[in-house]
Amino acid sequence: MSLKLGIIGLPNVGKSTLFNALTSQEVEAANYPFCTIDPNIGIVPLPDERLNKLGEIAGAEKVTPAYIQYVDVAGLVQGASRGEGLGNQFLAHIREVDALVQILRGFQDSNVAHVKGRWDPVEDLQIVNYELIMADLETLQKRREKAAKMMKADREKYQEELSFLEKLEEHLNQGGMARNFPKRDEYKGIMEELFLLTDKPVIYVLNIDEDIEEEEARALKEKIQRALGEERREVLLISVRLEKDLQELTPPERKEYLEELSWRGDSLNTLISSSFRLLNLITFFTAKGEETRAWTIPRGTRAVKAAGKIHTDMEQGFIRAEVIPFAKLEEAGSFPRARELGLIRLEGRDYEVQEGDVIQFRFNL
C-alpha cells in the first residue's frame, strides 16, 4: 500500500529543506527555481511513544516503527497547467502521491529569491491551487468528451455522468476543490477514476522565520485560514530552517537549545502525525519473539487483511486474532497478567482492527 505525501509549492519556499529535515537526507536545496527536478523520496518513521513501552513489556530486543514516505516534488510556477517551467513533470509527480503537504513562504529573506519578486503566502496559495484546478479542468474536459461519445451505448448512464461532470466543472471554475465537492461521495467511483489533483487531502505548512514573534506568526496563519474560506484544512506553523538545524545537533544539545527558545511553532513530529491522520491510517502492534513492531493500515481494515499486511501466508491461513488494546496491556503490565485478567480477546477474520490494538495472529501454513 502506497503511503506517499508529496511536498509541493512554488520554488524557494523551503520544500527541499523540509524534506532534508524530515528524512535526514541531503538533497540539494539551492537558491534558484527548479533546483529539484526529479522527485526525491524519503522514508520517515512515525513517532509513537507506545512502541518503546510495548517493547519493554514484551522484552523485545528490537522495535520497528511504522513509516511514511515523503516526496520532494519539483517547484511549480504560474502557468504550470499549460506546461510552463517544469509544469508537466510537477503535475505528473503529484498524481502519484496519496496526499499533499503544501508549503507557503512565510519568511522574509533578501538572499532567497522569490519567483514573483515578493513574498505573500496567500498569493503563493492562490497560484498553486489555481494551477491544480486548471489541470483538473483539463482532465474533466477529456472525460466529458469520452462520456459524450458513449451516450449511444448507454444514454441513461452517461447522461448522469455528464450531469455530474458539468456540476463538478462549475464547482472548480468557482475556485472550489474537488475534495470539497458536495456530491463527491455519491460519485466516488468516477472520482477515483479521474485522479484529480484537487481531490487529494492536503496539509498547509507556513514556513516561518525562526525568530518570528508568536503573535505575528498567528496573524499569518489566520490570514491563510481566511484565504482558504470554507475549506477547513490544517495549517501548521513551522520554521523549516530551525528544524533542519535541530537535526544536526546531538539530543542533549537539541534539548538545551529548545529550552532557550521562547517559542518554536509546530514541530516535525506534529507534521508527521498530521500526515498520518490525513491518510486516514491507524496503527496496530505485534510483539513476537525478539521484535516489537508497529504496522499501518487504513481505518476499517478487517483482521484477516491486517494479517496479510505482515505476510500473505498469515492472511491465507488465518485462524483467529488475539487482541488487546495497548492501554489495557500497559495497565496490566505484562501479557501473562493480561491473560489472567481476561483482557485478551479472541476475534475472527471480520473483526475491524482498532487504533492501538496489540495483536497476535494464529494461522495455519
Side-chain angles (χ1 to χ4, degrees), residues 200-213:
K200 297 181 183 295
V202 62
I203 298 171
Y204 294 98
V205 172
L206 188 59
N207 183 10
I208 55 176
D209 281 309
E210 59 185 280
D211 56 355
I212 190 173
E213 295 293 333

Side-chain angles (χ1 to χ4, degrees), residues 186-288:
E186 294 180 31
Y187 295 88
K188 187 176 180 180
I190 300 176
M191 292 291 287
E192 290 176 349
E193 293 174 8
L194 291 169
F195 293 102
L196 297 177
L197 304 180
T198 63
D199 194 39
K200 297 181 183 295
V202 62
I203 298 171
Y204 294 98
V205 172
L206 188 59
N207 183 10
I208 55 176
D209 281 309
E210 59 185 280
D211 56 355
I212 190 173
E213 295 293 333
E214 183 175 359
E215 185 177 345
E216 182 182 353
R218 299 295 180 194
L220 280 173
K221 179 176 180 176
E222 290 175 6
K223 187 177 179 181
I224 296 298
Q225 290 173 326
R226 287 196 300 271
L228 289 171
E230 295 181 358
E231 186 183 21
R232 300 300 178 190
R233 296 289 160 178
E234 190 168 11
V235 179
L236 301 180
L237 297 170
I238 297 179
S239 173
V240 173
R241 183 166 56 185
L242 171 62
E243 294 298 326
K244 181 64 173 69
D245 290 344
L246 288 173
Q247 301 307 305
E248 298 171 1
L249 301 178
T250 63
E253 290 173 336
R254 191 180 307 146
K255 181 180 179 181
E256 181 180 354
Y257 188 85
L258 288 173
E259 288 175 351
E260 294 175 356
L261 293 177
S262 60
W263 182 75
R264 177 185 178 184
D266 296 306
S267 67
L268 291 183
N269 282 351
T270 302
L271 173 58
I272 296 168
S273 299
S274 295
S275 301
F276 189 76
R277 291 194 302 272
L278 193 68
L279 292 169
N280 198 27
L281 301 172
I282 64 169
T283 300
F284 76 91
F285 304 98
T286 56
K288 180 72 173 176

Side-chain angles (χ1 to χ4, degrees), residues 41-302:
I41 300 176
I43 299 176
V44 180
L46 177 70
D48 194 328
E49 294 180 357
R50 297 172 299 180
L51 183 61
N52 288 329
K53 291 179 181 178
L54 178 58
E56 292 174 5
I57 293 171
E61 295 181 6
K62 178 183 179 182
V63 293
T64 304
Y67 292 91
I68 296 179
Q69 292 186 61
Y70 287 91
V71 182
D72 181 20
V73 179
L76 170 148
V77 295
Q78 199 162 13
S81 58
R82 302 189 304 274
E84 296 287 339
L86 296 173
N88 292 331
Q89 291 185 49
F90 172 89
L91 298 173
H93 294 152
I94 291 180
R95 293 190 195 281
E96 298 173 0
V97 302
D98 303 288
L100 304 174
V101 177
Q102 184 172 330
I103 302 190
L104 309 170
R105 179 167 171 171
F107 64 89
Q108 299 187 62
D109 190 337
S110 58
N111 295 317
V112 180
H114 191 285
V115 291
K116 297 291 288 183
R118 63 184 183 280
W119 74 276
D120 182 342
V122 170
E123 187 173 7
D124 290 1
L125 171 74
Q126 292 170 341
I127 290 172
V128 173
N129 286 351
Y130 174 82
E131 296 301 333
L132 298 181
I133 288 172
M134 293 304 294
D136 281 352
L137 285 172
E138 182 178 348
T139 299
L140 290 183
Q141 179 60 36
K142 292 178 180 178
R143 180 69 178 233
R144 285 182 60 187
E145 292 173 358
K146 179 181 178 181
K149 292 178 181 178
M150 296 298 293
M151 287 275 284
K152 296 179 181 178
D154 190 335
R155 184 174 183 83
E156 182 177 350
K157 173 184 176 180
Y158 288 101
Q159 183 61 57
E160 182 181 4
E161 180 174 321
L162 276 172
S163 176
F164 162 71
L165 293 172
E166 288 171 1
K167 291 175 182 176
L168 178 55
E169 183 176 351
E170 181 181 359
H171 175 75
L172 293 176
N173 275 319
Q174 292 175 352
M177 298 293 182
R179 55 181 167 263
N180 300 323
F181 184 58
K183 294 185 178 294
R184 181 193 180 285
D185 292 339
E186 294 180 31
Y187 295 88
K188 187 176 180 180
I190 300 176
M191 292 291 287
E192 290 176 349
E193 293 174 8
L194 291 169
F195 293 102
L196 297 177
L197 304 180
T198 63
D199 194 39
K200 297 181 183 295
V202 62
I203 298 171
Y204 294 98
V205 172
L206 188 59
N207 183 10
I208 55 176
D209 281 309
E210 59 185 280
D211 56 355
I212 190 173
E213 295 293 333
E214 183 175 359
E215 185 177 345
E216 182 182 353
R218 299 295 180 194
L220 280 173
K221 179 176 180 176
E222 290 175 6
K223 187 177 179 181
I224 296 298
Q225 290 173 326
R226 287 196 300 271
L228 289 171
E230 295 181 358
E231 186 183 21
R232 300 300 178 190
R233 296 289 160 178
E234 190 168 11
V235 179
L236 301 180
L237 297 170
I238 297 179
S239 173
V240 173
R241 183 166 56 185
L242 171 62
E243 294 298 326
K244 181 64 173 69
D245 290 344
L246 288 173
Q247 301 307 305
E248 298 171 1
L249 301 178
T250 63
E253 290 173 336
R254 191 180 307 146
K255 181 180 179 181
E256 181 180 354
Y257 188 85
L258 288 173
E259 288 175 351
E260 294 175 356
L261 293 177
S262 60
W263 182 75
R264 177 185 178 184
D266 296 306
S267 67
L268 291 183
N269 282 351
T270 302
L271 173 58
I272 296 168
S273 299
S274 295
S275 301
F276 189 76
R277 291 194 302 272
L278 193 68
L279 292 169
N280 198 27
L281 301 172
I282 64 169
T283 300
F284 76 91
F285 304 98
T286 56
K288 180 72 173 176
E290 299 177 349
E291 183 182 24
T292 293
R293 182 163 180 170
W295 304 86
T296 57
I297 52 175
R299 190 176 299 278
T301 298
R302 293 180 299 140

